[in-house]
């Protein structure tokens, strides 16, 4: 009885979307912060190549974060 | 003429409900950002108000659910909608008076269901919509927010746990500007749409709109404005009591709690599930707290939320049903809603007077 009333497909998609968006964006943003922290440490220890790589990681992760948020808003407004 | 008077009362009451919803929920939306120092109170509240307004425009799926999937619009009259709104407002007032953390959304749906049952019997309730789109998401969403926030904070500590705390804290404070903004956007999108749905239901019941219609633009704009003004007004009260009402957490926890809450609410809004944003946000906060230290969570508050959740739908439904009965004592015209409106305003004034004599209500969350 309950199974016929529950909108299983929409509910499952809500759960999956929440997990992917909630945890996914957290992971990408955390990588950006990790990169920024490493960049500062490596710059102080005068390792420019490694610091540059950390800066690139930060930039890419920040771009990924912004892109993910923008994608989420586009998906929200598309229905 | 009589029907138009009732419709005007319903629209006014619905917008007042929307205002109080924003007023009541300001703390939930901005508390985390203020608590972690990510934003100053004035900035956080102004930002949340603007994004509440914008959020109301990004979707109408929840409004469609409230208007078409909970009760049978064919047997609903504007008086039924009015009685439902009074049921919700009265229950909100009672829970505010006693400091119970209840959901305005559940009160609204419970009130309308109760008045519809009183007017047309159990056949007026669309069981599939009520269970599938309201009750099940009401249980799943806060648990989901709890789990997503808990896993998120675990991942955060794994990735940045060995880095300099200063850099990490500053980073997540900046992140909270985005996650707090998304949470305010999500709140506006889900909560403002409930008012849109209720006004649309009244317009359909009055014959102004056809069955299955979407909310007209003026309904969307007025609902967005009411919730944004409510959020802004509620904020000034919160500023004064920030230190005592907000759960202390670090910036990373705040980021994961807000991110989880925003993700769950926005995903649910996309599929037209009218949630209790209060419960989802609290679920996220508790998840972020429990993942770090179980004892950090105020489990007593969690218990109060569950208690209020169980009570809200039936209590608001009962008040909505009784209110409908009272309005019918005065016939089917506008006299009943007018008399009940005066009684409700008197009750509101009395409750505020009594509360002002006893001091501030017990913090809800």
């Amino acid at each position: 009885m309950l199974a016929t009333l529950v909108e299983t497909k929409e509910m499952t998609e809500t759960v999956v979307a929440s997990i992917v968006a909630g945890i996914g964006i957290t992971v990408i943003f955390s990588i950006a912060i990790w990169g920024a922290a490493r960049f500062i440490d490596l710059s102080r220890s005068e390792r420019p190549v490694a610091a540059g790589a950390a800066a690139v990681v930060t930039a890419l992760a920040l771009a990924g974060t912004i892109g993910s948020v923008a994608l989420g808003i586009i998906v929200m407004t598309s229905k | 003429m009589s029907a138009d008077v009732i419709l005007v009362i319903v629209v006014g009451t619905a917008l007042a409900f929307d205002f109080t919803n924003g007023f009541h929920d300001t703390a939930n939306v901005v508390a985390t950002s203020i608590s972690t120092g990510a934003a100053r109170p004035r900035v956080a509240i102004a930002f949340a108000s603007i994004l509440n307004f914008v959020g109301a425009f990004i979707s109408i799926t929840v409004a469609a659910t409230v208007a078409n999937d909970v009760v049978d619009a064919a047997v609903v009259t504007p008086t039924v909608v009015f009685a439902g709104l009074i049921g919700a407002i009265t229950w909100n007032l009672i829970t505010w008076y006693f400091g119970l953390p209840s959901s305005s959304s559940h009160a609204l749906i419970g009130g309308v269901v109760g008045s519809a049952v009183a007017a047309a019997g159990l056949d007026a309730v669309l069981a599939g919509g009520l269970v599938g789109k309201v009750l099940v998401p009401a249980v799943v969403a806060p648990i989901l927010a709890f789990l997503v926030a808990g896993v998120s904070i675990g991942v955060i500590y794994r990735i940045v746990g060995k880095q300099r705390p200063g850099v990490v804290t500053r980073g997540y404070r900046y992140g909270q500007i985005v996650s707090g903004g998304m949470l305010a956007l999500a709140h506006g999108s889900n909560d403002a749409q409930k008012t849109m749905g209720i006004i649309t239901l009244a317009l359909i019941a009055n014959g102004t709109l056809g069955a299955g219609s979407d909310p007209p633009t003026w309904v969307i704009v007025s609902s967005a404005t009411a919730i944004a003004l409510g959020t802004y007004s509620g904020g000034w009260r919160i500023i004064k009591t920030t230190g005592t009402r907000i759960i202390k957490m670090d910036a990373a926890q705040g980021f994961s709690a807000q991110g989880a809450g925003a993700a769950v609410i926005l995903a649910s809004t996309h599929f037209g599930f009218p949630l209790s944003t209060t419960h989802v946000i609290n679920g996220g906060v508790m998840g972020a707290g429990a993942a770090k230290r179980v004892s950090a969570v105020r489990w007593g508050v969690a218990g109060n939320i569950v208690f209020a959740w169980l009570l809200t739908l039936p209590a608001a439904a009962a008040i909505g049903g009784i209110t409908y009965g009272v309005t019918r004592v005065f016939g089917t015209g506008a006299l009943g809603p007018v008399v009940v409106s005066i009684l409700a305003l008197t009750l509101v004034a009395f409750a505020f007077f009594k509360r002002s004599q006893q001091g501030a209500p017990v913090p809800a969350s």
Side-chain angles (χ1 to χ4, degrees):
Chain A
M1 173 65 179
L2 186 65
T4 58
L5 293 174
V6 175
E7 308 211 354
T8 313
K9 182 172 175 286
E10 282 85 354
M11 204 66 241
T12 306
E13 287 185 35
T14 300
V15 171
V16 171
S18 300
I19 291 170
V20 169
I23 299 173
I25 292 176
T26 298
V27 169
I28 299 170
F29 187 68
S30 297
I31 291 170
I33 292 177
W34 175 86
R38 294 300 301 146
F39 170 76
I40 292 168
D41 283 346
L42 292 166
S43 296
R44 282 177 182 162
S45 56
E46 297 182 349
R47 292 170 61 190
V49 176
V56 170
V57 169
T58 300
L60 288 174
L62 279 178
T65 304
I66 294 166
S68 302
V69 171
L71 180 67
I73 292 172
I74 290 167
V75 170
M76 272 294 300
T77 53
S78 65
K79 190 175 177 181
Chain B
M1 178 64 185
S2 176
D4 290 341
V5 171
I6 299 172
L7 192 61
V8 168
I9 293 172
V10 169
V11 172
T13 310
L15 292 176
F17 176 84
D18 201 21
F19 179 89
T20 58
N21 192 343
F23 187 93
H24 186 266
D25 285 2
T26 307
N28 298 317
V29 176
V30 302
T32 316
S33 295
I34 296 172
S35 149
T36 61
R40 286 197 301 256
R42 284 171 190 272
V43 174
I45 290 159
F47 191 48
S49 301
I50 292 166
L51 287 169
N52 262 200
F53 183 83
V54 174
F57 291 87
I58 64 176
S59 169
I60 53 167
T61 50
V62 173
T65 298
V66 174
N68 302 307
D69 296 341
V70 177
V71 291
D72 184 359
V75 300
V76 169
T77 65
T79 304
V80 168
V81 180
F82 168 77
L85 277 164
I86 293 294
I89 290 170
T90 306
W91 179 247
N92 276 351
L93 201 62
I94 291 169
T95 53
W96 170 79
Y97 188 87
F98 290 106
L100 280 171
S102 76
S103 160
S104 301
S105 310
H106 294 170
L108 182 64
I109 289 166
V112 171
V113 167
S115 61
V117 169
L122 284 172
D123 288 343
V125 179
L126 302 176
L130 184 63
V131 174
K133 291 200 165 183
V134 179
L135 296 180
V136 172
V139 175
V140 172
I143 298 169
L144 185 59
F146 181 94
L147 294 174
V148 170
V151 173
S152 291
I153 195 67
V155 168
I156 284 173
Y157 289 148
R158 294 279 296 182
I159 295 174
V160 300
K162 293 178 181 170
Q163 305 305 316
R164 291 173 187 271
V167 178
V168 170
T169 300
R170 273 201 304 280
Y172 283 110
R173 279 184 183 159
Y174 285 124
Q176 275 197 277
I177 294 170
V178 177
S179 62
M182 292 301 287
L183 187 62
L185 192 81
H187 178 254
S189 72
N190 202 287
D191 275 10
Q193 284 194 63
K194 288 156 197 155
T195 303
M196 290 178 209
I198 284 295
I199 296 175
T200 305
L201 180 63
L203 292 169
I204 292 170
N206 194 49
T208 311
L209 293 176
S213 296
D214 288 336
T217 305
W218 69 266
V219 173
I220 297 173
V221 172
S222 56
S223 300
T225 305
I227 198 166
L229 287 175
T231 300
Y232 191 73
S233 307
W236 303 118
R237 185 174 58 96
I238 302 303
I239 286 171
K240 293 177 184 170
T241 53
T242 295
T244 56
R245 295 188 64 172
I246 295 172
I247 300 166
K248 285 290 177 190
M249 50 172 44
D250 63 38
Q253 284 176 300
F255 178 82
S256 61
Q258 288 176 325
V264 172
I265 296 169
L266 285 172
S268 301
T269 303
H270 185 63
F271 292 107
F273 298 136
L275 296 177
S276 164
T277 50
T278 304
H279 291 180
V280 173
I281 295 167
N282 277 303
V285 168
M286 286 175 194
K292 189 176 183 182
R293 187 162 55 88
V294 174
S295 61
V297 178
R298 294 153 70 185
W299 292 106
V301 174
N304 284 344
I305 289 172
V306 172
F307 176 69
W309 180 82
L310 291 173
L311 216 57
T312 295
L313 275 168
I319 300 169
I322 292 167
T323 305
Y324 180 79
V326 172
T327 58
R328 287 304 301 267
V329 169
F330 298 93
T332 55
L335 182 60
V338 169
V339 170
V340 170
S341 296
I342 293 168
L343 285 173
L345 286 171
T346 308
L347 181 68
V348 169
F350 178 73
F352 273 94
F353 175 71
K354 288 287 285 181
R355 257 295 156 207
S356 66
Q357 285 187 323
Q358 294 171 9
V362 179
S365 55

